[in-house]
Amino acid sequence: MSSQLNHNRRNFLKIAVATGGGLLLGFNWTDSEAAVAGAPLKGVAAPAIDFNSYLSINPQGVITILSPNPEVGQGIKTAFPIIVAEELDADWKNVVVEQAPLDTQKFERQVAGGSGSIPHSWKRLRVAGATARHMLLEAAAKRWNVSASDCTTSKGFVLHAASKRKLSYGELATEASKMPVPADVKLKEIKDFKLIGQTIKNVDNPGILTGKPLFGLDFHREGMLIGMLQRPAFGYKLKSVDSAAAKAMPGIVNVVTINNSVAVVGKSTWQVKKAKDALKIEWEKDGNLESTSDHNRLFKEMLDSPNTTVRRKDGDVESAFKNAAKVIKAEYQCPFLPHNPLEPMNFFAHVKADSAELVGPSQTPEAARNQTAKLLGLSPEKVSVQLTRMGGGFGRRLNTDYAIEAVQVSKAVNAPVKVMWTREDDMTGGIYRPAVRYRFEAALDAQNNLIGYKLRGASINAGNATREDNFPSGAVDNLLIDSIDHKSPITTGPWRAPITNFLAFAEQAFLDEVAQAAGKDPVQFRLELLDKAKQKPVGKITYDVDRMKGVIQLAVEKSGWGKKKGVAQGFSVYFSHRSYVAQIGEVVVEKGKPVLKKVYSAADCGVVINQSGAQQQVRGCVVDGIGHAMYGNITFKDGIPDQKNFNDYKLIRMNEIPEIDVYFVQNEIDPTGLGEPSLPPAGAAVANAIFKATGKRLYNQPFVETEVFKGVS
C-alpha cells in the first residue's frame, strides 16, 4: 500500500493510460454510472452529478484510486480506497492512493466537514469497486470460455475452481477495459467483508513518519516568497503604518497594505517575521471594543430578554411549570475557543495575468477557488487548487480567509507567495468557537415524572445556539426551546461538532441534576424518557430511539455501571452528525482533588470502515472534549485577546489523558459519521463523575477555573 501526492490530474490520467493498456474506470459518485478508458471524458461527467473519480488497474496489477476529499487527519484518504478495494476484492498491498486536486467538472462535495464524507460516498464507492470486479470476471470468463457465474475473485485474482485456473487483475486489465459496463452490479453482503471492519494503517503513515512534504507548511516552489500579515484586533481598523525600518531589513522584498492589514513579503520565514515585528502601526477604533466582562453582562441581559426566537414549543409549558411539584433550574456557560491545529494557517498562491494557482490545506477548496476567481475577475476554471494534507483543522479551515490573503499578497507583489501565520496569529486571528450561556428549567410532578422542560440559548455570533429537535425533545409533553444572539466584532465559525460541543455538556449535566432531584438513577432516567419518545412521542422525533438505547446499554455493560467500589462514575449520551455515543467517566479523589482515570465510549456509527481510523477518531474526540472542557479559555480586553500562545493557553497534557476504552455497536446500518460525534458527550461524562466524587456540580467551562479545581494547575 502506498500513497502519492498528485500535483496534476492530467498526469494521473496519462500514467493510467500509458501503462501498456489496463482498465481505467471513471465512475459517477452519485448514481455510479461508469465509463471505460477510451470513452470521451466529457461523457464521464454527466449533468447534475455529485462527484466522480477514477479507479485504474494497470497490467502490472497496481490499482490506483484518486481520492478527492481533503485529508484533515480524519483518515478519509485511507477509508475511501478501503471501500473500493473491498468490493473489488483487491489485494490491499497493490493499492495506490493519489490525492486529487479540486476539479468541479469531475467531483462535487470536495469538503472535509460535518462528518459527512463517508455517509455521502459509501454506496458510490462500493458500486465503483463492484463494477470493476464484474468487468474483470467477464473478461476472465470470456478468455476461458466459461460462465462468469462459475468464477470467483480473491485478493486481485479471478479464479475458476473447476479447472483450477486463475488470472491476476493485471493480466486481465486490458481485456476488462473492453467489456461492457454493467448497468447494475450486486454488492457484497456485509458478512462477506474482508477489508472493511479490519485494522488498516493510514496510507500516509510512512510519509508522515519519515518527514515527507505532505503538509501545506512543507510546500515549496522555487522562487516563491514568504508573506506574513499584521492584522487588527476586533473592533479596530488601520490608521497608519511606518514600514521604513522593516523595508530596510535583510531579505525583505516589499511591505504592502492589504485591506485592513499590513503584509510583509520577503525571502525567508525568519527575515519576514523579524521585519513584521519592526512595523510601527497605529490602529483606531472601528466599532465596539468588547471585553469578556461585557460578554458576561450581555449573557445576563439576553437570558432575561423577552426578544427571543422560539425554536420549538410542545404542549402547555406555562401550565406545566405552574402546577409542578418541583422545578429545577441551572445555567451553563462556555468561553470562546480557538481551534489551535498543530499546523497554523498557511497557503500558497501564484496570481498571473489570466490565471491563478493555489496550493495548501483547506477543508473547502471550492470556496477558496470561487472567492479567488471573484476577487481577480477570472472564471473559476482559470483557478487551480491543489490540496495538501492538513495538520489539523477542527473547522477552522472551513473558512478561506488565509487562502484569500495569499491571493491578495501575490497579486500585490506580482510573485508567487506562501502566506504563513505564526502561532500568535493563529490564536488571536479569530474564527473562534462562539461563547454561549444556557438556561435550563425542568418541571417534575408529584410522582417525579418530567412534565416540563425549557431551554434558552444566549450566544455571541452563534445564530441559533440550540438544537431544538435533539433529545429530550419528543420525550417531554411540555417543552419550550428558544434562543437569542448578540452580533459581535469578534469573529466566530464552526468548531469541531458545532454548537453541540458545549450544548451536550450543558444538557447532559442538567439531566443528571434532574435525575437526582427525581430520585432516579441517571441512566434509568434517560431510558425512561427514551421509552416515552418511542411509545408516546410528542411532536417531531429526529433521532433513533433504539440506536440511542443501544449505545447506552453497551456503555453500561462494558463499564460495570453502578457496580464498582472506590470509583465515581458519570454518564452522558448524545446524538450528533447522524451517530450515537454514550460515555462513562470514572473519577477518584486524590489529595483532595478529582482525578479522571478512565473513560468508556460506546458508539453507533453504523458499519465501521477501518478499526484503526475509527478508534483514533473516538479517542481524539474524547481527548479534545475533555481537554477543552478542563482548560480551554480565551478572554478579551477591549477587543484584544489576552491569550496569544501556549504559554498562557493550556491544552491537555499527555500525562493527563485517561485510559480510554472504545466499543462499537455491531450492525449493518450504512456508516453515519465519526469525526465529531464522540466529542460532545465527553465533558458531561467527566462533570457528572466529578459530582459523584465530590458532591459539587460543574456549570461553567473551563472546569479548572471552578472551585472544585482551585489550586490545580
Side-chain angles (χ1 to χ4, degrees), residues 297-308 331 437 439 441 456 458 484:
R297 172 182 53 80
L298 284 165
F299 281 138
K300 185 179 185 305
E301 293 173 358
M302 287 191 286
L303 287 175
D304 294 333
S305 172
N307 302 315
T308 61
E331 293 184 11
R437 188 171 181 89
R439 177 180 289 165
E441 299 178 57
R456 173 165 294 181
I484 185 170

Side-chain angles (χ1 to χ4, degrees), residues 211-221 224 343 346 418:
K212 294 294 190 296
L214 303 176
F215 299 91
L217 281 177
D218 296 324
F219 181 81
H220 177 76
R221 175 71 55 77
M224 79 177 188
E343 178 190 26
N346 66 90
K418 182 163 75 170

Side-chain angles (χ1 to χ4, degrees), residues 370-381:
N370 291 346
Q371 290 172 28
T372 296
K374 183 177 180 181
L375 176 69
L376 300 177
L378 300 172
S379 66
E381 293 73 23

Side-chain angles (χ1 to χ4, degrees), residues 124-449:
R124 299 159 176 82
L125 291 166
R126 292 183 68 190
V127 170
T131 299
R133 177 177 172 272
H134 175 94
M135 296 167 71
L136 290 159
L137 280 166
E138 291 290 338
K142 183 178 180 181
R143 183 187 290 196
W144 292 329
N145 196 26
V146 298
S147 171
S149 62
D150 293 331
C151 301
T152 59
T153 57
S154 178
K155 288 192 174 182
F157 285 88
V158 178
L159 312 171
H160 186 248
S163 63
K164 297 183 180 180
R165 287 179 288 183
K166 71 175 183 178
L167 289 167
S168 72
Y169 286 178
E171 293 174 288
L172 291 166
T174 301
E175 292 165 75
S177 71
K178 301 171 184 176
M179 302 303 297
V181 179
D184 296 296
V185 289
K186 183 179 179 181
L187 302 180
K188 285 185 179 181
E189 293 186 31
I190 289 176
K191 67 178 178 61
D192 296 326
F193 284 167
K194 298 181 180 69
L195 287 174
I196 291 176
Q198 301 304 308
T199 298
I200 297 174
K201 295 177 182 178
N202 190 301
V203 298
D204 277 341
N205 277 358
I208 294 170
L209 294 172
T210 57
K212 294 294 190 296
L214 303 176
F215 299 91
L217 281 177
D218 296 324
F219 181 81
H220 177 76
R221 175 71 55 77
E222 191 67 32
M224 79 177 188
L225 300 174
I226 299 296
M228 290 186 181
L229 283 78
Q230 186 64 56
R231 305 165 187 84
F234 305 103
Y236 292 87
K237 65 179 180 180
L238 181 65
K239 182 177 181 180
S240 66
V241 57
D242 179 354
S243 60
K247 287 180 176 179
M249 295 177 73
I252 300 307
V253 174
N254 207 343
V255 177
V256 294
T257 299
I258 304 291
N259 296 335
N260 210 25
S261 301
V262 181
V264 179
V265 183
K267 296 180 180 180
S268 76
T269 304
W270 185 245
Q271 290 174 326
V272 171
K273 183 184 183 304
K274 295 296 287 183
K276 177 189 167 191
D277 293 341
L279 291 171
K280 296 176 182 178
I281 299 177
E282 186 178 359
W283 308 100
E284 61 182 346
K285 183 179 176 181
D286 185 35
N288 295 330
L289 305 182
E290 295 181 356
S291 301
T292 297
S293 58
D294 298 319
H295 300 150
N296 291 333
R297 172 182 53 80
L298 284 165
F299 281 138
K300 185 179 185 305
E301 293 173 358
M302 287 191 286
L303 287 175
D304 294 333
S305 172
N307 302 315
T308 61
T309 300
V310 174
R311 302 296 178 176
R312 176 165 175 160
K313 186 173 183 180
D314 296 328
D316 189 341
V317 180
E318 293 75 13
S319 293
F321 276 86
K322 181 179 179 180
N323 299 317
K326 190 181 298 182
V327 173
I328 303 95
K329 298 181 180 180
E331 293 184 11
Y332 303 82
Q333 185 170 322
C334 72
F336 291 96
L337 288 182
H339 295 79
N340 285 335
L342 184 61
E343 178 190 26
M345 300 303 106
N346 66 90
F347 225 79
F348 169 86
H350 189 186
V351 176
K352 303 175 185 177
D354 59 353
S355 65
E357 177 191 11
L358 305 181
V359 182
S362 173
Q363 293 179 247
T364 54
E366 184 178 357
R369 184 201 66 173
N370 291 346
Q371 290 172 28
T372 296
K374 183 177 180 181
L375 176 69
L376 300 177
L378 300 172
S379 66
E381 293 73 23
K382 293 290 186 178
V383 180
S384 67
V385 183
Q386 174 63 47
L387 306 179
T388 64
R389 187 179 177 92
M390 286 171 265
F394 315 114
R396 176 61 181 89
R397 288 186 161 99
L398 290 168
N399 197 285
T400 62
D401 55 315
Y402 57 99
I404 300 306
E405 284 181 345
V407 173
Q408 292 171 316
V409 175
S410 174
K411 180 182 179 183
V413 301
N414 193 30
V417 175
K418 182 163 75 170
V419 164
M420 298 174 62
W421 291 38
T422 64
R423 176 58 60 193
E424 288 82 3
D425 293 334
D426 209 57
M427 196 173 292
T428 62
I431 320 295
Y432 302 115
R433 179 188 77 174
V436 181
R437 188 171 181 89
Y438 292 110
R439 177 180 289 165
F440 287 83
E441 299 178 57
L444 300 177
D445 65 14
Q447 290 74 44
N448 286 319
N449 297 309

Side-chain angles (χ1 to χ4, degrees), residues 651-671:
L651 295 175
I652 191 170
R653 303 295 196 258
M654 292 289 286
N655 64 345
E656 296 168 326
I657 296 173
E659 182 182 353
I660 303 171
D661 283 359
V662 179
Y663 303 92
F664 296 102
V665 174
Q666 301 298 310
N667 58 41
E668 297 188 359
I669 297 171
D670 288 352

